Every structure is written in structure tokens, then in C-alpha cells.
Amino acid sequence: MNKDIILLRTVEVAAIASYKYIGKKDKNTLDGAAVEAMEVVLKSAEGFSVKVINGEGELDEAPMLYSGQILGDQSNQKHMFDVCVDPVEGTNPAAYNFAGSIATIAISRLNTMLKLPEMYMEKLFVSSQFKDCADLKQGIIACVEKMQAKSQKKDLKAIVLDKPRHTDIIKQFDELGVIVRLIKDGDVLAAIDVVNGEADFVYGIGGAPEGGLMASLAISSGCKMVAKLVSYNQVWPNEKETATRVQKESEALAQAKLSFGQILTDIDLINDPRTRFFAAGITAGGTLKAIDYLNGKYYVSAFMSSHGVIRNIKSIYDMDQINSLKPEIKYLFDKYKR
């Protein structure tokens, strides 16, 4: 089967498995369902295999979709690829049933993805119109002013994570005339909105591993992303675990040969112009719609980008027919049916 179809199915089935737990206020169980679903679909892949570069995370000591795990058809090592995965990007929105969660995966040629430490990252994702304006060396305000000058308008549309660490920058954006849409979680989902023309850029300090997904999205869609790693101490200076996290960050940076002052472009994160990005809505929001269920059928809103081609996809999963034709994933639907 076509590799892209399998990867699209991977995110769609992850969204379906998580559906049972949307709004149940149990992040771990919801995430576990999506993780298992992704692993099962990837394990059953024929004709290619994948190596997880940025996965569920070393801090969580995840038993599935962990960094270095290999899934799929391992009989042909010539067809192995790198992947970044996030079975539920936005576990809190999914657990409490508000907008902001998706299942997502990115793929590239073997040994082209940078393994990112589990830490914070300052990220700027801009539409294709502003590719030459994305340069964090001069700071985010200088980038915004360049975009305003290029477009000859002040009222750019920005999406920003609504976090205390962004209070000052949100105020500065407002003073510049930028229209700001605040989101609680989900900067990868927000970047999809930029690709689909709903905003000009996404900015904020969020998780570094998600940066790999956003890099794939930028490259595959013709947009641009730049980023910079941020110390835990900068975001949470007074927490009990700060000293321990800072020490772990220092070790991770040394191992990865990275530094806090280093500007990382999307190509630095994924050095493959043919990278592909896939996502499916869970509670979603914006241009990607939430998963729904009616009369034995799941209605899934999915997204794919590759080679500058953007696809917004509506899929309908008829459980009766799938269960008779796809025994390798039937038990997932039985286990996680609502």
C-alpha cells in the first residue's frame, strides 16, 4: 500500500482511538489509546519501516513510540525513514474537550531529522509570503515589522499561546496593530491554520520536540519556521524541579551539540525537502475540524502536506466494513469504541 495512505491512516486511527476519552479528564488514558493505535498501524506497515526520532519522550519513560524504536517492515532496510510523532498534540484540550488537540506525524529520509531535547523552544512559523522575514537573530518584533513592511499593512493575523510568559509580547503585538488570536495549547495545529491561510504567523515558546513537526510542515507546505531553544529556568525560574531540569538540559545540549543562542531553521531540524506531514483532528479547531461519530461511522478531518501540495481531507470510517476487512486493526476499534 502507498506509504502516504498508511501514514494518513496512522493519524486518523489515533484520533479514533482517543475519541472514547475526549472530555473524560484523563490525559494519560487518552494519550495511551492514541499511542497504541499509532504503534499498531505503523507496526503493520508493509514495504517500509520507520525509526522514531522525536517520540513520546524520555522524561515519561514511554514504553511505546520512544526515541529509537523501529516499526514496520524491517525486511528491507533500504526503505527505512525517520519520523516525529505526537499521538495527541494537546492532551489537556482533548481530556477536557476544548479546541486544540490533534494526532500528528512527520516523516523524512533516514538520518535527516534532528533529535530534539525535551525542553522549551521559541518558535516562529510564517506563511510563504513572509519566508524572507523570519529571522529571530533580531528578535520577534523586528520580524513582525519586516512582515508589516512587506505586506504594507499593520493588521497582520497572529496566533500566540496564551501563557504568562507571552504577556509582554502580546501587548507589543497589539501596539503594533497586529490582530492576535490566543490559544491555550497546540502550536502545531495553529501552524496548520497558517498554511491554510487563516493567519500570517504563529509565535510562542512551547515544546521543542513539536518543533520537528512544525519544521516538516513548513518545508512540505512552502512556509518557513525558525526556532531557538529556551532554558526551563527562563520559563519556570522558581519551581522545585527547575535545578534538576536545568542540569538535564545542559547534558542534553552537550550530547546534541546544540546551544541556547543557536538559531535553528526548519532545514536544520529536518534536512529533507521531501519531508511529509500528516495530522488528524481530535478536538482540533480552526481549519481542522474535530472528530465526530454517528451511526457506526467516524468522521475524521485530516491534513497532509508534501512537495508544496496541501490537502485537507474528509474521511469516513465505516466500522462494520473496516472490521471485516482490516483484522490487524479491528481489535483497536473494539477496544476503544465509545
Side-chain angles (χ1 to χ4, degrees), residues 6-7 9-19 29-45 64-65 71 87-88 103 105 328-329 331-333 335-336:
I6 294 173
L7 293 167
R9 177 181 292 165
T10 299
V11 293
E12 291 177 339
V13 172
I16 289 171
S18 69
Y19 181 81
T29 301
L30 184 144
D31 186 61
V35 168
E36 182 180 6
M38 266 199 179
E39 187 186 51
V40 166
V41 178
L42 290 173
K43 270 185 174 180
S44 65
M64 293 186 286
L65 300 181
L71 301 163
V88 184
I105 188 170
E328 70 270 25
I329 59 175
Y331 94 92
L332 282 172
F333 296 135
K335 181 176 180 179
Y336 292 116

mmCIF file of all heavy atoms in Angstrom, residues 6-7 9-19 29-45 64-65 71 87-88 103 105 328-329 331-333 335-336:
data_model
loop_
_atom_site.group_PDB
_atom_site.id
_atom_site.type_symbol
_atom_site.label_atom_id
_atom_site.label_comp_id
_atom_site.label_asym_id
_atom_site.label_seq_id
_atom_site.Cartn_x
_atom_site.Cartn_y
_atom_site.Cartn_z
ATOM 1 N N ILE A 6 -0.821 4.948 4.396
ATOM 2 C CA ILE A 6 -0.608 4.311 5.700
ATOM 3 C C ILE A 6 -0.365 5.360 6.778
ATOM 4 O O ILE A 6 -0.903 5.263 7.893
ATOM 5 C CB ILE A 6 0.576 3.326 5.624
ATOM 6 C CG1 ILE A 6 0.231 2.162 4.698
ATOM 7 C CG2 ILE A 6 0.945 2.808 7.014
ATOM 8 C CD1 ILE A 6 1.384 1.221 4.424
ATOM 9 N N LEU A 7 0.414 6.378 6.467
ATOM 10 C CA LEU A 7 0.695 7.423 7.452
ATOM 11 C C LEU A 7 -0.548 8.270 7.734
ATOM 12 O O LEU A 7 -0.786 8.680 8.877
ATOM 13 C CB LEU A 7 1.850 8.296 6.968
ATOM 14 C CG LEU A 7 3.196 7.550 6.905
ATOM 15 C CD1 LEU A 7 4.214 8.365 6.135
ATOM 16 C CD2 LEU A 7 3.703 7.234 8.299
ATOM 17 N N ARG A 9 -3.589 7.067 7.535
ATOM 18 C CA ARG A 9 -4.399 6.178 8.378
ATOM 19 C C ARG A 9 -3.871 6.181 9.819
ATOM 20 O O ARG A 9 -4.657 6.095 10.773
ATOM 21 C CB ARG A 9 -4.382 4.757 7.817
ATOM 22 C CG ARG A 9 -5.136 3.754 8.687
ATOM 23 C CD ARG A 9 -5.071 2.368 8.097
ATOM 24 N NE ARG A 9 -5.815 2.297 6.859
ATOM 25 C CZ ARG A 9 -5.709 1.304 5.974
ATOM 26 N NH1 ARG A 9 -4.853 0.326 6.193
ATOM 27 N NH2 ARG A 9 -6.436 1.301 4.880
ATOM 28 N N THR A 10 -2.567 6.276 9.986
ATOM 29 C CA THR A 10 -1.966 6.269 11.323
ATOM 30 C C THR A 10 -2.530 7.382 12.194
ATOM 31 O O THR A 10 -2.923 7.150 13.342
ATOM 32 C CB THR A 10 -0.432 6.412 11.219
ATOM 33 O OG1 THR A 10 0.093 5.313 10.479
ATOM 34 C CG2 THR A 10 0.201 6.431 12.598
ATOM 35 N N VAL A 11 -2.583 8.602 11.662
ATOM 36 C CA VAL A 11 -3.099 9.711 12.475
ATOM 37 C C VAL A 11 -4.613 9.630 12.625
ATOM 38 O O VAL A 11 -5.164 9.986 13.679
ATOM 39 C CB VAL A 11 -2.670 11.086 11.901
ATOM 40 C CG1 VAL A 11 -1.161 11.258 12.016
ATOM 41 C CG2 VAL A 11 -3.124 11.287 10.458
ATOM 42 N N GLU A 12 -5.296 9.143 11.595
ATOM 43 C CA GLU A 12 -6.752 9.038 11.685
ATOM 44 C C GLU A 12 -7.176 7.999 12.716
ATOM 45 O O GLU A 12 -8.097 8.245 13.519
ATOM 46 C CB GLU A 12 -7.339 8.714 10.306
ATOM 47 C CG GLU A 12 -7.215 9.863 9.316
ATOM 48 C CD GLU A 12 -7.718 9.515 7.930
ATOM 49 O OE1 GLU A 12 -7.801 8.302 7.598
ATOM 50 O OE2 GLU A 12 -8.036 10.443 7.164
ATOM 51 N N VAL A 13 -6.505 6.861 12.722
ATOM 52 C CA VAL A 13 -6.842 5.812 13.687
ATOM 53 C C VAL A 13 -6.478 6.250 15.105
ATOM 54 O O VAL A 13 -7.181 5.927 16.071
ATOM 55 C CB VAL A 13 -6.158 4.488 13.305
ATOM 56 C CG1 VAL A 13 -6.340 3.436 14.398
ATOM 57 C CG2 VAL A 13 -6.735 3.955 11.996
ATOM 58 N N ALA A 14 -5.394 7.011 15.260
ATOM 59 C CA ALA A 14 -5.049 7.551 16.578
ATOM 60 C C ALA A 14 -6.151 8.471 17.088
ATOM 61 O O ALA A 14 -6.520 8.431 18.267
ATOM 62 C CB ALA A 14 -3.721 8.291 16.509
ATOM 63 N N ALA A 15 -6.690 9.285 16.206
ATOM 64 C CA ALA A 15 -7.795 10.169 16.596
ATOM 65 C C ALA A 15 -9.032 9.360 16.979
ATOM 66 O O ALA A 15 -9.712 9.664 17.968
ATOM 67 C CB ALA A 15 -8.121 11.136 15.457
ATOM 68 N N ILE A 16 -9.317 8.308 16.209
ATOM 69 C CA ILE A 16 -10.477 7.456 16.505
ATOM 70 C C ILE A 16 -10.317 6.773 17.862
ATOM 71 O O ILE A 16 -11.260 6.712 18.665
ATOM 72 C CB ILE A 16 -10.670 6.418 15.381
ATOM 73 C CG1 ILE A 16 -11.162 7.114 14.110
ATOM 74 C CG2 ILE A 16 -11.658 5.331 15.804
ATOM 75 C CD1 ILE A 16 -11.171 6.221 12.877
ATOM 76 N N ALA A 17 -9.120 6.252 18.147
ATOM 77 C CA ALA A 17 -8.889 5.563 19.427
ATOM 78 C C ALA A 17 -9.042 6.509 20.603
ATOM 79 O O ALA A 17 -9.528 6.120 21.679
ATOM 80 C CB ALA A 17 -7.495 4.937 19.428
ATOM 81 N N SER A 18 -8.656 7.755 20.421
ATOM 82 C CA SER A 18 -8.745 8.730 21.521
ATOM 83 C C SER A 18 -10.169 9.236 21.747
ATOM 84 O O SER A 18 -10.474 9.765 22.822
ATOM 85 C CB SER A 18 -7.823 9.923 21.244
ATOM 86 O OG SER A 18 -8.305 10.694 20.155
ATOM 87 N N TYR A 19 -11.034 9.057 20.755
ATOM 88 C CA TYR A 19 -12.387 9.629 20.816
ATOM 89 C C TYR A 19 -13.146 9.212 22.075
ATOM 90 O O TYR A 19 -13.869 10.008 22.680
ATOM 91 C CB TYR A 19 -13.169 9.218 19.567
ATOM 92 C CG TYR A 19 -14.569 9.770 19.504
ATOM 93 C CD1 TYR A 19 -14.810 11.067 19.067
ATOM 94 C CD2 TYR A 19 -15.663 8.987 19.884
ATOM 95 C CE1 TYR A 19 -16.095 11.583 19.012
ATOM 96 C CE2 TYR A 19 -16.957 9.485 19.824
ATOM 97 C CZ TYR A 19 -17.165 10.784 19.395
ATOM 98 O OH TYR A 19 -18.438 11.287 19.346
ATOM 99 N N THR A 29 -4.826 8.215 29.987
ATOM 100 C CA THR A 29 -5.563 7.152 29.310
ATOM 101 C C THR A 29 -5.841 7.530 27.859
ATOM 102 O O THR A 29 -5.711 6.705 26.947
ATOM 103 C CB THR A 29 -6.881 6.850 30.041
ATOM 104 O OG1 THR A 29 -6.589 6.450 31.385
ATOM 105 C CG2 THR A 29 -7.650 5.746 29.351
ATOM 106 N N LEU A 30 -6.220 8.777 27.642
ATOM 107 C CA LEU A 30 -6.486 9.252 26.287
ATOM 108 C C LEU A 30 -5.228 9.161 25.425
ATOM 109 O O LEU A 30 -5.247 8.634 24.312
ATOM 110 C CB LEU A 30 -7.002 10.695 26.345
ATOM 111 C CG LEU A 30 -7.415 11.333 25.016
ATOM 112 C CD1 LEU A 30 -8.616 12.250 25.243
ATOM 113 C CD2 LEU A 30 -6.280 12.126 24.393
ATOM 114 N N ASP A 31 -4.120 9.643 25.963
ATOM 115 C CA ASP A 31 -2.859 9.593 25.224
ATOM 116 C C ASP A 31 -2.436 8.152 24.966
ATOM 117 O O ASP A 31 -1.965 7.812 23.879
ATOM 118 C CB ASP A 31 -1.768 10.338 26.000
ATOM 119 C CG ASP A 31 -0.472 10.454 25.221
ATOM 120 O OD1 ASP A 31 -0.494 11.069 24.141
ATOM 121 O OD2 ASP A 31 0.564 9.946 25.692
ATOM 122 N N GLY A 32 -2.635 7.275 25.964
ATOM 123 C CA GLY A 32 -2.263 5.880 25.810
ATOM 124 C C GLY A 32 -3.020 5.199 24.685
ATOM 125 O O GLY A 32 -2.462 4.360 23.962
ATOM 126 N N ALA A 33 -4.290 5.553 24.526
ATOM 127 C CA ALA A 33 -5.088 4.968 23.450
ATOM 128 C C ALA A 33 -4.549 5.382 22.092
ATOM 129 O O ALA A 33 -4.408 4.549 21.179
ATOM 130 C CB ALA A 33 -6.545 5.403 23.592
ATOM 131 N N ALA A 34 -4.227 6.660 21.937
ATOM 132 C CA ALA A 34 -3.700 7.153 20.667
ATOM 133 C C ALA A 34 -2.322 6.577 20.370
ATOM 134 O O ALA A 34 -2.003 6.244 19.220
ATOM 135 C CB ALA A 34 -3.646 8.676 20.688
ATOM 136 N N VAL A 35 -1.493 6.447 21.413
ATOM 137 C CA VAL A 35 -0.155 5.865 21.251
ATOM 138 C C VAL A 35 -0.262 4.429 20.748
ATOM 139 O O VAL A 35 0.416 4.026 19.790
ATOM 140 C CB VAL A 35 0.627 5.913 22.582
ATOM 141 C CG1 VAL A 35 1.887 5.062 22.497
ATOM 142 C CG2 VAL A 35 0.988 7.343 22.945
ATOM 143 N N GLU A 36 -1.104 3.637 21.401
ATOM 144 C CA GLU A 36 -1.259 2.238 20.998
ATOM 145 C C GLU A 36 -1.755 2.143 19.562
ATOM 146 O O GLU A 36 -1.270 1.309 18.775
ATOM 147 C CB GLU A 36 -2.221 1.507 21.932
ATOM 148 C CG GLU A 36 -2.371 0.034 21.571
ATOM 149 C CD GLU A 36 -3.334 -0.711 22.483
ATOM 150 O OE1 GLU A 36 -3.980 -0.072 23.337
ATOM 151 O OE2 GLU A 36 -3.423 -1.944 22.336
ATOM 152 N N ALA A 37 -2.712 2.996 19.211
ATOM 153 C CA ALA A 37 -3.258 2.966 17.854
ATOM 154 C C ALA A 37 -2.183 3.278 16.821
ATOM 155 O O ALA A 37 -2.062 2.583 15.797
ATOM 156 C CB ALA A 37 -4.411 3.956 17.737
ATOM 157 N N MET A 38 -1.391 4.300 17.078
ATOM 158 C CA MET A 38 -0.311 4.642 16.145
ATOM 159 C C MET A 38 0.681 3.497 16.003
ATOM 160 O O MET A 38 1.104 3.155 14.893
ATOM 161 C CB MET A 38 0.426 5.897 16.624
ATOM 162 C CG MET A 38 -0.077 7.179 16.035
ATOM 163 S SD MET A 38 1.150 8.495 16.205
ATOM 164 C CE MET A 38 0.259 9.825 15.396
ATOM 165 N N GLU A 39 1.060 2.905 17.131
ATOM 166 C CA GLU A 39 2.045 1.839 17.087
ATOM 167 C C GLU A 39 1.521 0.641 16.301
ATOM 168 O O GLU A 39 2.247 0.054 15.489
ATOM 169 C CB GLU A 39 2.446 1.404 18.495
ATOM 170 C CG GLU A 39 3.612 0.410 18.471
ATOM 171 C CD GLU A 39 3.943 -0.143 19.847
ATOM 172 O OE1 GLU A 39 3.019 -0.608 20.529
ATOM 173 O OE2 GLU A 39 5.121 -0.112 20.218
ATOM 174 N N VAL A 40 0.269 0.275 16.511
ATOM 175 C CA VAL A 40 -0.317 -0.875 15.817
ATOM 176 C C VAL A 40 -0.322 -0.656 14.305
ATOM 177 O O VAL A 40 0.054 -1.538 13.524
ATOM 178 C CB VAL A 40 -1.744 -1.149 16.332
ATOM 179 C CG1 VAL A 40 -2.491 -2.106 15.398
ATOM 180 C CG2 VAL A 40 -1.705 -1.718 17.736
ATOM 181 N N VAL A 41 -0.736 0.529 13.865
ATOM 182 C CA VAL A 41 -0.800 0.798 12.427
ATOM 183 C C VAL A 41 0.598 0.826 11.818
ATOM 184 O O VAL A 41 0.832 0.261 10.741
ATOM 185 C CB VAL A 41 -1.542 2.116 12.146
ATOM 186 C CG1 VAL A 41 -1.560 2.404 10.647
ATOM 187 C CG2 VAL A 41 -2.974 2.057 12.668
ATOM 188 N N LEU A 42 1.541 1.455 12.497
ATOM 189 C CA LEU A 42 2.908 1.527 11.970
ATOM 190 C C LEU A 42 3.583 0.156 11.969
ATOM 191 O O LEU A 42 4.348 -0.170 11.060
ATOM 192 C CB LEU A 42 3.735 2.522 12.787
ATOM 193 C CG LEU A 42 3.355 3.991 12.616
ATOM 194 C CD1 LEU A 42 4.127 4.862 13.600
ATOM 195 C CD2 LEU A 42 3.617 4.464 11.185
ATOM 196 N N LYS A 43 3.301 -0.643 12.989
ATOM 197 C CA LYS A 43 3.867 -1.994 13.040
ATOM 198 C C LYS A 43 3.412 -2.834 11.852
ATOM 199 O O LYS A 43 4.157 -3.677 11.348
ATOM 200 C CB LYS A 43 3.456 -2.696 14.341
ATOM 201 C CG LYS A 43 4.395 -2.491 15.505
ATOM 202 C CD LYS A 43 3.952 -3.335 16.690
ATOM 203 C CE LYS A 43 4.950 -3.263 17.834
ATOM 204 N NZ LYS A 43 4.523 -4.088 18.998
ATOM 205 N N SER A 44 2.185 -2.643 11.420
ATOM 206 C CA SER A 44 1.621 -3.474 10.351
ATOM 207 C C SER A 44 1.970 -2.960 8.960
ATOM 208 O O SER A 44 1.546 -3.551 7.958
ATOM 209 C CB SER A 44 0.096 -3.551 10.501
ATOM 210 O OG SER A 44 -0.492 -2.274 10.318
ATOM 211 N N ALA A 45 2.735 -1.865 8.876
ATOM 212 C CA ALA A 45 3.096 -1.299 7.569
ATOM 213 C C ALA A 45 3.916 -2.294 6.757
ATOM 214 O O ALA A 45 4.783 -2.990 7.294
ATOM 215 C CB ALA A 45 3.883 -0.015 7.765
ATOM 216 N N MET A 64 6.146 2.870 24.430
ATOM 217 C CA MET A 64 5.816 2.791 23.009
ATOM 218 C C MET A 64 6.106 4.132 22.351
ATOM 219 O O MET A 64 6.002 5.191 22.966
ATOM 220 C CB MET A 64 4.336 2.437 22.809
ATOM 221 C CG MET A 64 3.963 1.031 23.260
ATOM 222 S SD MET A 64 2.252 0.589 22.855
ATOM 223 C CE MET A 64 1.361 1.569 24.069
ATOM 224 N N LEU A 65 6.479 4.075 21.071
ATOM 225 C CA LEU A 65 6.817 5.251 20.284
ATOM 226 C C LEU A 65 7.926 6.072 20.947
ATOM 227 O O LEU A 65 7.905 7.294 20.948
ATOM 228 C CB LEU A 65 5.576 6.120 20.036
ATOM 229 C CG LEU A 65 4.431 5.448 19.276
ATOM 230 C CD1 LEU A 65 3.283 6.410 19.078
ATOM 231 C CD2 LEU A 65 4.890 4.893 17.931
ATOM 232 N N LEU A 71 9.660 0.529 13.713
ATOM 233 C CA LEU A 71 8.365 -0.088 13.455
ATOM 234 C C LEU A 71 8.191 -0.318 11.965
ATOM 235 O O LEU A 71 8.748 0.403 11.144
ATOM 236 C CB LEU A 71 7.238 0.821 13.970
ATOM 237 C CG LEU A 71 7.249 1.166 15.462
ATOM 238 C CD1 LEU A 71 6.365 2.365 15.726
ATOM 239 C CD2 LEU A 71 6.797 -0.023 16.284
ATOM 240 N N PRO A 87 1.080 11.450 19.157
ATOM 241 C CA PRO A 87 -0.250 10.844 19.048
ATOM 242 C C PRO A 87 -1.378 11.765 19.506
ATOM 243 O O PRO A 87 -2.470 11.716 18.951
ATOM 244 C CB PRO A 87 -0.141 9.608 19.941
ATOM 245 C CG PRO A 87 1.316 9.285 19.930
ATOM 246 C CD PRO A 87 2.014 10.610 19.914
ATOM 247 N N VAL A 88 -1.106 12.578 20.536
ATOM 248 C CA VAL A 88 -2.067 13.611 20.942
ATOM 249 C C VAL A 88 -1.276 14.887 21.234
ATOM 250 O O VAL A 88 -0.703 15.038 22.303
ATOM 251 C CB VAL A 88 -2.896 13.221 22.176
ATOM 252 C CG1 VAL A 88 -3.931 14.317 22.468
ATOM 253 C CG2 VAL A 88 -3.596 11.884 21.975
ATOM 254 N N ALA A 103 -3.802 14.494 16.300
ATOM 255 C CA ALA A 103 -2.823 13.413 16.183
ATOM 256 C C ALA A 103 -1.959 13.749 14.981
ATOM 257 O O ALA A 103 -2.475 14.140 13.934
ATOM 258 C CB ALA A 103 -3.525 12.073 15.972
ATOM 259 N N ILE A 105 2.023 13.221 12.674
ATOM 260 C CA ILE A 105 3.274 12.516 12.391
ATOM 261 C C ILE A 105 3.966 13.199 11.216
ATOM 262 O O ILE A 105 3.306 13.738 10.320
ATOM 263 C CB ILE A 105 3.002 11.022 12.075
ATOM 264 C CG1 ILE A 105 4.316 10.234 11.978
ATOM 265 C CG2 ILE A 105 2.192 10.862 10.804
ATOM 266 C CD1 ILE A 105 4.107 8.721 11.918
ATOM 267 N N GLU A 328 -6.062 -6.591 11.373
ATOM 268 C CA GLU A 328 -4.913 -6.155 12.167
ATOM 269 C C GLU A 328 -5.218 -4.930 13.032
ATOM 270 O O GLU A 328 -4.521 -4.659 14.006
ATOM 271 C CB GLU A 328 -3.699 -5.868 11.262
ATOM 272 C CG GLU A 328 -3.818 -4.639 10.366
ATOM 273 C CD GLU A 328 -4.437 -4.958 9.010
ATOM 274 O OE1 GLU A 328 -5.181 -5.951 8.912
ATOM 275 O OE2 GLU A 328 -4.176 -4.198 8.061
ATOM 276 N N ILE A 329 -6.266 -4.175 12.663
ATOM 277 C CA ILE A 329 -6.625 -3.019 13.499
ATOM 278 C C ILE A 329 -8.031 -3.147 14.093
ATOM 279 O O ILE A 329 -8.474 -2.257 14.820
ATOM 280 C CB ILE A 329 -6.509 -1.688 12.717
ATOM 281 C CG1 ILE A 329 -7.419 -1.683 11.483
ATOM 282 C CG2 ILE A 329 -5.057 -1.410 12.342
ATOM 283 C CD1 ILE A 329 -7.433 -0.352 10.756
ATOM 284 N N TYR A 331 -9.140 -4.966 16.493
ATOM 285 C CA TYR A 331 -9.220 -5.001 17.950
ATOM 286 C C TYR A 331 -9.097 -3.604 18.559
ATOM 287 O O TYR A 331 -9.619 -3.334 19.651
ATOM 288 C CB TYR A 331 -8.157 -5.940 18.516
ATOM 289 C CG TYR A 331 -6.865 -5.289 18.921
ATOM 290 C CD1 TYR A 331 -6.679 -4.840 20.226
ATOM 291 C CD2 TYR A 331 -5.825 -5.119 18.009
ATOM 292 C CE1 TYR A 331 -5.482 -4.241 20.606
ATOM 293 C CE2 TYR A 331 -4.644 -4.537 18.378
ATOM 294 C CZ TYR A 331 -4.480 -4.078 19.679
ATOM 295 O OH TYR A 331 -3.313 -3.498 20.052
ATOM 296 N N LEU A 332 -8.434 -2.692 17.846
ATOM 297 C CA LEU A 332 -8.345 -1.306 18.332
ATOM 298 C C LEU A 332 -9.737 -0.679 18.384
ATOM 299 O O LEU A 332 -10.104 -0.036 19.366
ATOM 300 C CB LEU A 332 -7.458 -0.469 17.403
ATOM 301 C CG LEU A 332 -5.944 -0.631 17.529
ATOM 302 C CD1 LEU A 332 -5.255 0.124 16.414
ATOM 303 C CD2 LEU A 332 -5.459 -0.153 18.887
ATOM 304 N N PHE A 333 -10.490 -0.869 17.316
ATOM 305 C CA PHE A 333 -11.826 -0.288 17.263
ATOM 306 C C PHE A 333 -12.751 -0.958 18.292
ATOM 307 O O PHE A 333 -13.633 -0.310 18.869
ATOM 308 C CB PHE A 333 -12.406 -0.400 15.859
ATOM 309 C CG PHE A 333 -11.638 0.377 14.834
ATOM 310 C CD1 PHE A 333 -11.333 -0.174 13.610
ATOM 311 C CD2 PHE A 333 -11.195 1.662 15.100
ATOM 312 C CE1 PHE A 333 -10.615 0.543 12.659
ATOM 313 C CE2 PHE A 333 -10.478 2.392 14.157
ATOM 314 C CZ PHE A 333 -10.176 1.825 12.937
ATOM 315 N N LYS A 335 -11.688 -2.254 21.162
ATOM 316 C CA LYS A 335 -11.198 -1.844 22.475
ATOM 317 C C LYS A 335 -11.576 -0.405 22.811
ATOM 318 O O LYS A 335 -11.939 -0.100 23.953
ATOM 319 C CB LYS A 335 -9.666 -1.991 22.523
ATOM 320 C CG LYS A 335 -9.044 -1.615 23.853
ATOM 321 C CD LYS A 335 -7.545 -1.886 23.841
ATOM 322 C CE LYS A 335 -6.902 -1.518 25.174
ATOM 323 N NZ LYS A 335 -5.429 -1.803 25.176
ATOM 324 N N TYR A 336 -11.536 0.469 21.807
ATOM 325 C CA TYR A 336 -11.714 1.888 22.088
ATOM 326 C C TYR A 336 -13.041 2.457 21.577
ATOM 327 O O TYR A 336 -13.216 3.674 21.520
ATOM 328 C CB TYR A 336 -10.559 2.682 21.484
ATOM 329 C CG TYR A 336 -9.240 2.381 22.191
ATOM 330 C CD1 TYR A 336 -8.195 1.768 21.511
ATOM 331 C CD2 TYR A 336 -9.071 2.672 23.533
ATOM 332 C CE1 TYR A 336 -7.000 1.464 22.156
ATOM 333 C CE2 TYR A 336 -7.877 2.375 24.187
ATOM 334 C CZ TYR A 336 -6.854 1.775 23.486
ATOM 335 O OH TYR A 336 -5.678 1.488 24.131
#
